[in-house]
Amino acid sequence: MRDNVRDGKHHKIRKVFPVELLKEYDYKDFSPTRKSALLTKVMCEAETPYIGSDENIVFTRTIKNLPNLYSKDEWDNLFGSLTLHELGPISNVCVDWEILLSQGLLKRKTIANQSLIKYNKDNIAKEFLESAILTIDSVLSLTKKYSQEAKTLNRLDLVSILEKVPARPPESFHEALQFLRICHSVIWMSGNYHVGLGRFDQYMWKYLEKDLNENIISKENAMDLLIEFFICLNKDSDLYVGLQQGDNGQSIMLGGVKPNGKSGVNLLTEMSLKAAGFVAMIDPKINLRISQNTDIELLKLATKLTKHGLGFPQYSNDDIVIPALIKNGYSIEDARNYTVAACWEFIIPGKGMEIVNIGAISLPAAVDYGIRKGLKKNKSFEDILNYVNDNILEQVNNLCDIYKKLYLIPSPFYSVLMSNCLENGKDMSLGLKYNNLGIHGACSASAADALAIVKKYIYENNILSKKELLVALENNFNDNNELLNQLRNDELKVGNNNQNVDKMLVKLFDMSANICEKIQIPFLHDKSKFRSIRLGSGSAMYYIWLAQGYKGMREPLVEATADGRKKDDVFGANLSPSPNIEIAGPISVMQSFSKIDYERVYNGGPITIEISDMVFKNNEGLTKVAMLVKTFTKLNCQQLQLNTLNIEKLQKAINNPKQYKNLIVRVWGWSGYFCELDKVYQNHILDRHIYHRFSM
Amino acid sequence: METNIVMKKAILFDIKEFAIFDGPGIRLTLFFKGCPLYCSWCHNPEGISKEPQILKTEVGERLVGKEYSVEDIVTKIDSQKEILSFNNGGVTFCGGEPLIYTDFIIDVISKCNDVHFILDTSGYENSEKFKLLIDKIDLVHFDLKLMNSELHKKFIGGDLSIILSNLNVLIKSQVPFVVRVPMIPGVTDTKENIGSIISLIKNAKNLIRVDLLAFNKYAGGKYKACNMDFKPRFDVNKKIKFHQKMFFDYNIKINIKILLIKN
């Protein structure tokens, strides 16, 4: 099944959306809310049920594309003067799957109807609720089509499941998985994207536990279903939106504590890890919450995935993440219940209407601005730091000004699945319990390196004059290769646990946090409500973009920098040392990055470490890499991505993509197929491996 | 006392964090540059010369061999001590041949507390100094290669009797040790050689086990980069005989290890 899915055998049943279907609806003057609901409806209607003979969990997308319900003029009129985030529809948040499963869609409909009565004088609420009900009915109709198809095919096993879910709560593991599959798919079909699955092992466990206790299924059967469910997530993902193939945000969070603080690790945690290893595809993207107390055996199991080169799990440290969320206004239970969005940003299931990635602070650009200005005006190092601060402030303010006009396109179906939307008669786009915005403090290592170099070479040891460095920077080091190499190979690099440069890293984040903490952005349509800014340390794709520019770029483009970097040279991804330099080792890298104050830098951003696959040639290797992960918690770091690479394989894959079509790599926050990446991302991964792989 | 002044600095060609194959737990491995011997199968040719040298790698040239003071090394160890101990590991001195810097190492150890130290060595050193050092070491990895003086001269160089003399010192010292035998096909894996090795160690109470290190077929990998020729003088593709039974007969625990390229 897995190979068939990867090979896209099911693609042949796909068709384009039949636009004739739209003609039945007079939607031109529909509000965005009604248009969103209509999209859900017509996509469900257009779907032809397909049930493969080997399938136990059904739904396969047959409609390739989503129709556009707005003409260009309409879109511009409605949204032209506002700020849409990325493509516009809500993305990158997480449903409260637990509520949905425990109630079923009919109960959600009942609640919507009750709210209709309650809010019958509120037109906006009425419109939302009616739209929500329409989407629920659409999903139920879609399901009915499938159950009829199942009947036709004499799949009575499927009929009984589909007659129950997602209308009613599931009562078994199989039913719960089927429930998820349909609803999750419909979210995508509603125009939303980066749709994660949240704390899968937490909300699904009760169904599996009951099945096992009552001997309804065996562990092996459960495993088969789980594997099939994971494979399902890869069926339609080529149709999904993302910056590169694979960037679809289908993340799953495993492990971590329950809202009462006790460990939530259960059999399903282990089974999910095993299933992901067996499936070995890029979805779902496995995330694991750990702490200093996590059992080494669980870490070893997780490390098996790392060994397979899947680029996951990504680890989040509860000991660091939870207190930071609490400190920044999240309730204790909600903080304990965190999951991650598409890449790594923390989000609360059902309650987070947060845009965790409104943009980036180009820390290298801010530092470069400060350095060039300070050198030109013959100022002190303190002055340089002040200029840097000014530039960070300007960048953040620019971004926040843009997001003051943030408009979220209503998503009635998505809202059905979130907390309290139906109950309060409000679409999630109007706000949920948490409404913050996240900014990446991007490419921090290079920025810190540049500051440290300038301090040492110009202000402390007088190795260089201000003019010499300025000229070199302005000429992109073209006439001074020797200086370029000297700066590049200086030991003052983040990742060596060198306090002289690490303190610059800390300073940059402190400056940025000082700025971000003071900002409160009012909602567009409700000036009494505000959003805070969550500062993060990731880079997303900015490690390429900030160096090479991109369409619609807001951040200042940075040219040659004092850390021995030429114009256009890309940066390290997330929390990693600058590319193309030798680094002491993985412990030093973690020690350097552990110095960031994660209570204030709490949007997320993983330390990214490459490991040579040679490490795993020996049985001990697995245990010891697991110990590296445990060390990460001991060092009080926040998030970690470990990627295993084989350089020969990567080079071969570049020359022979067809032969390596299943080679998976970690890109910046997600795993993708190496051969499907743009060249610049491929090269970055290759470089990361050459310089920074730790063969241990 | 002159040696003490000379020994304030040492040249290392690598410091590897989170080394997982150099002893129990996670270790910080210090690779000292320089070796008095020259084994035909050496897979770290950049460790042989005492002097810094240029390595031509896939991405350009790299200077191999950096000078460190005792303080530098102590500071590095201190900065990771807690993590090493958390992972039931410690520090491993190897190389090259760490005994080129015996005094330096003794100095480093004296300035570090609560660290588990391993010495990974060929045993090629003045016996008095050797004893001074190993008394401060927690675990010794002692190489035994060829027990025939002539063959030793041919494939390894140096004076075998120095090594054997220090083996005695080690056995008498009661410091726990592991014997490491590079299993080179047709050279060290003969019944005769293995038999000689066993006879030397069979009564040592402080012997923990013998590691039989399979010849690394990629050993020649770095020679070109070091501007050296890889001249093994034996058939690199010949199958290795491990003679497990011989060890078993003497109740000696063995561990067969496949050597990896140490990049």
Side-chain angles (χ1 to χ4, degrees), chain A residues 132-289:
Chain A
I133 290 169
L134 183 70
T135 64
I136 293 174
D137 286 338
S138 305
V139 178
L140 295 176
S141 299
L142 173 64
T143 308
K144 190 140 196 218
K145 277 199 285 203
Y146 263 87
S147 81
Q148 277 164 349
E149 174 72 7
K151 208 177 255 172
T152 309
L153 294 174
N154 210 24
R155 290 290 305 270
L156 301 178
D157 55 324
L158 294 176
V159 172
S160 66
I161 296 176
L162 293 166
E163 281 180 350
K164 191 190 290 182
V165 300
R168 289 179 188 77
E171 288 172 298
S172 72
F173 188 54
H174 192 168
E175 288 170 1
L177 289 172
Q178 181 62 75
F179 192 128
L180 270 189
R181 173 66 185 149
I182 293 182
C183 291
H184 181 248
S185 302
V186 175
I187 301 174
W188 286 100
M189 284 153 60
S190 303
N192 305 102
Y193 59 98
H194 285 155
V195 188
L197 285 148
R199 301 189 72 191
F200 182 79
D201 62 342
Q202 301 304 300
Y203 59 77
M204 292 294 281
W205 172 231
K206 60 164 148 334
Y207 306 103
L208 179 59
E209 191 182 24
K210 177 167 175 285
D211 277 359
L212 293 173
N213 285 343
E214 295 174 12
N215 283 321
I216 297 185
I217 48 170
S218 66
K219 235 167 105 172
E220 288 72 32
N221 287 345
M223 196 58 171
D224 286 340
L225 286 171
L226 184 57
I227 286 171
E228 186 178 335
F229 179 72
F230 281 6
I231 294 176
C232 280
L233 296 172
N234 292 276
K235 270 197 218 167
D236 312 319
S237 47
D238 60 308
L239 299 172
Y240 297 163
V241 156
L243 271 164
Q244 290 280 305
Q245 265 305 314
D247 173 30
N248 55 45
Q250 296 191 110
S251 22
I252 265 187
M253 179 58 89
L254 301 173
V257 299
K258 297 193 264 211
N260 66 8
K262 298 221 163 75
S263 170
V265 172
N266 55 41
L267 178 63
L268 187 52
T269 316
E270 282 173 39
M271 286 174 65
S272 300
L273 289 170
K274 288 186 179 145
F278 184 82
V279 169
M281 299 175 91
I282 60 176
D283 288 308
K285 301 175 192 322
I286 304 291
N287 282 273
L288 184 63
R289 282 173 47 171

Side-chain angles (χ1 to χ4, degrees), chain A residues 115-116 119 122-130 424-426:
Chain A
S115 288
L116 261 178
Y119 295 105
D122 180 342
N123 285 332
I124 294 178
K126 269 176 71 177
E127 182 181 74
F128 160 63
L129 291 162
E130 283 164 358
N424 294 336
K426 276 174 44 178

Side-chain angles (χ1 to χ4, degrees), chain A residues 585 587-588 591 624 628 631, chain B residues 17-18 20 59 76 79 86-87:
Chain A
I587 298 193
S588 291
Q591 284 173 318
K624 292 182 176 175
L628 180 64
T631 301
Chain B
E17 296 186 359
F18 221 83
I20 60 178
V59 285
K76 179 75 184 181
S79 75
F86 174 73
N87 285 303

